[in-house]
Amino acid sequence: MKTSRLLPLLAMLIAGCVNPDQNLGAWINRSQSELMQAWGAPVRTTDDGQGGRILVYARQAFIPRMQGGGTFADSANNQMPQQMERTYQFFINPSGRIYLIR
């Protein structure tokens, strides 16, 4: 019974370890509209200084903290997961195509 409860948690942890940066290169030369359809509205838009724009996205991840002995901490122990935020900048040329990602 305990194993069946741990499997979904293990699956979520493994999925959370996937590095989104690995697939960012696939966005080069794709359109701004494709990006917005997949990622939604950016948190900020700014001028790129070359007639295009920069779309800024922020993604949050929650990482469980480990207690001594290798067990996961939880809110009952006042050990909330660590929150991290990663920003992505998509540089869009005047033709509406992504030419750089940071």
Side-chain angles (χ1 to χ4, degrees), residues 3-82:
T3 304
S4 64
R5 290 183 184 173
L6 292 176
L7 287 177
L9 176 63
L10 182 59
M12 288 187 296
L13 290 173
I14 291 170
C17 293
V18 174
N19 185 352
D21 296 342
Q22 293 174 342
N23 297 325
L24 287 178
W27 284 101
I28 296 295
N29 213 24
R30 291 182 62 188
S31 72
Q32 174 182 333
S33 60
E34 288 177 281
L35 175 66
M36 292 181 73
Q37 187 174 29
W39 286 52
V43 294
R44 187 171 55 254
T45 302
T46 186
D47 182 27
D48 74 348
Q50 299 177 7
R53 62 184 61 130
I54 304 168
L55 304 183
V56 181
Y57 288 87
R59 296 288 189 245
Q60 294 181 346
F62 295 93
I63 302 169
R65 296 181 190 208
M66 298 293 284
Q67 295 178 340
T71 60
F72 287 103
D74 59 26
S75 59
N77 296 323
N78 297 321
Q79 297 278 334
M80 296 303 290
Q82 178 181 359

